[in-house]
Structures are given as C-alpha cells and as structure tokens.
C-alpha cells in the first residue's frame, strides 16, 4: 500500500492553493468583465505571485514554477474549467465565493511559505514572515492590477490570521517534527480566523484622523 510522505502532502497542499488562488483571480476578472488574457494574467499572478516573491527573498533560484511547470498547467486548466462556471454566477455569488476561495488560498499558501522557509533553515520569525508574504503576496498583486484596495491594507483580519497560523505551525513543527501535522494545524488556524472574521465582520482598530 502506498503511503503519503511529507513531500507528497506539501505538493498536494501547494496544488490546492494554486487552484483556489487561480480561481479567485478568475472571479475578480469575471466581476470586472475582463477579456481572456486579463483573466489569465490575474489568475496567474494570484496563484504564483506570493511564492515568487518568497523565493526571491529567500534566494531560491530559479523560482519554483520555472523548475516545475505543473503550476502553470494547473493555473491554465483551472481557468478553462472556471470560466464557463463563473459566467453562471451572479455578482453577489461571485463576491461571496471570492472571499471564501481567497481565505482557503490564504491559509494554504501561508502554510506552504512557513514550511519552505523552515526547510531552508530560516529562523522561526523569518518563517512566519515568509508565510505571510506567500499568503498575501499574490492577492496584493491581483488587487493592485484590478485597481482595488488590497485587503491586507484594509481593516480586515487578513495578515493577522496568517501570523497566528504561522506561529501555530512553527510551534507544532518544533514540538512534534511532523510536517503534515504542523502544516494542517497552521492552515486550520489561519482559515478559521479568516472565516470567522468574514462571518462576524471582525476588523482591526484604525488610527484616528489627524487634526
């Protein structure tokens, strides 16, 4: 009987994150009525943008999707499948699905980023930072290209959820040495906090206006 190794789990989660973040790019393009090329660009930068920045910061050359073009094929297939389905959705349903897909991608890629940094021997605080960067980077690029305020810069509980999940993942990894358990724990924390923030409209406090 075949058994999943830690590397297998990482690959599965990475593909999951690629699909859901590519889907979020498709949904934004659908909402803005972009053409096929614009849709593919948004899906691609959302899916691989954060990981690309992470690899550049960590000094990984070449970046992951240049080494393994499976990521690009997954993005392309996701777009092909999602385009006709997205056409059937109303604007309200697109917005609802976008936020949930973004939350799942955020949780998944945060865990991926933390794990990659730990594998490269980065300190815990750097690993958490790389998790946040991987989680929010693609969404920031997507929102900037779509001329929208990135969620990470708003009052949304967004990067804060990544930090919490990243800290839990590092702690579980240090205590157990079990990569799949650590990643799933971190993902769950990030996802639950983000979904709870969406459901109950949690927001961070802001600075008051200057006189």
């Amino acid at each position: 009987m075949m058994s999943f190794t830690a590397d297998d789990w990482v690959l599965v989660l990475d593909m999951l994150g690629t699909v859901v973040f590519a889907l979020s790019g498709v949904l934004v393009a659908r909402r803005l009525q972009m053409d096929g090329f614009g849709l593919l660009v948004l899906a691609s930068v959302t899916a691989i943008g954060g990981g690309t920045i992470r690899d550049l910061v960590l000094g990984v050359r070449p970046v992951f999707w240049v080494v393994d073009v499976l990521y690009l094929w997954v993005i392309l297939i996701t777009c092909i499948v999602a385009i006709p389905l997205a056409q059937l959705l109303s604007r309200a349903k697109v917005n609802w699905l976008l936020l949930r897909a973004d939350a799942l991608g955020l949780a998944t890629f945060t865990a991926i980023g933390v794990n990659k940094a730990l594998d490269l021997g980065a300190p815990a605080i750097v690993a958490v930072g790389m998790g946040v960067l991987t989680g929010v980077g693609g969404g920031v690029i997507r929102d900037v290209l779509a001329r929208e305020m990135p969620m990470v810069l708003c009052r949304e509980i967004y990067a804060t959820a990544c930090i919490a999940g990243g800290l839990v993942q590092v702690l579980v990894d240090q205590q157990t040495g079990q990569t799949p358990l650590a990643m799933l724990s971190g993902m769950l924390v990030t996802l639950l906090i983000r979904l709870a923030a969406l459901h109950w409209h949690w927001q961070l406090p802001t600075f008051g206006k200057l006189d």
Side-chain angles (χ1 to χ4, degrees):
M1 180 181 295
M2 295 181 61
S3 60
F4 265 34
T5 65
D7 289 341
D8 293 330
W9 280 111
V10 172
L11 179 60
V12 169
L13 293 178
D14 216 356
M15 291 301 108
L16 173 64
T18 301
V19 169
V20 294
F21 257 175
L23 175 61
S24 76
V26 170
L27 293 173
V28 171
R30 161 72 176 83
R31 188 179 67 199
L32 298 177
Q33 298 181 317
M34 291 184 173
D35 61 18
F37 180 75
L39 181 147
L40 183 60
V41 168
L42 275 195
S44 299
V45 298
T46 309
I48 62 177
T52 299
I53 299 172
R54 175 204 63 216
D55 282 3
L56 293 175
V57 171
L58 291 175
V60 177
R61 303 290 192 281
V63 296
F64 67 101
W65 54 268
V66 175
V67 176
D68 188 354
V69 296
L70 176 60
Y71 293 91
L72 302 181
W73 284 111
V74 168
I75 292 169
L76 180 60
I77 293 171
T78 300
C79 290
I80 293 172
V81 173
I83 288 173
L85 297 178
Q87 294 293 332
L88 302 175
L89 299 176
S90 66
R91 184 179 182 88
K93 289 182 178 179
V94 166
N95 289 337
W96 186 92
L97 185 57
L98 170 61
L99 291 173
R100 274 68 189 174
D102 186 86
L104 182 56
L106 183 73
T108 305
F109 274 173
T110 297
I112 292 293
V114 171
N115 182 70
K116 187 159 190 175
L118 291 176
D119 280 348
L120 293 173
I125 190 172
V126 174
V128 173
M130 290 302 99
V132 175
L133 183 60
T134 309
V136 307
V140 169
I141 299 173
R142 175 199 66 209
D143 293 343
V144 169
L145 291 179
R147 293 185 295 180
E148 297 180 346
M149 175 66 75
M151 282 185 282
V152 71
L153 299 181
C154 300
R155 296 174 62 187
E156 298 275 351
I157 302 292
Y158 198 74
T160 311
C162 299
I163 295 172
L167 289 172
V168 169
Q169 181 175 341
V170 168
L171 180 61
V172 174
D173 185 80
Q174 290 177 343
Q175 294 299 316
T176 68
Q178 299 293 321
T179 297
L181 177 61
M183 294 184 70
L184 290 175
S185 299
M187 276 184 62
L188 186 61
V189 170
T190 302
L191 182 60
L192 289 179
I193 292 176
R194 179 61 185 145
L195 290 179
L198 289 172
H199 182 75
W200 284 294
H201 306 290
W202 292 346
Q203 293 182 327
L204 294 172
T206 58
F207 291 103
K209 293 183 179 180
L210 295 176
D211 295 330

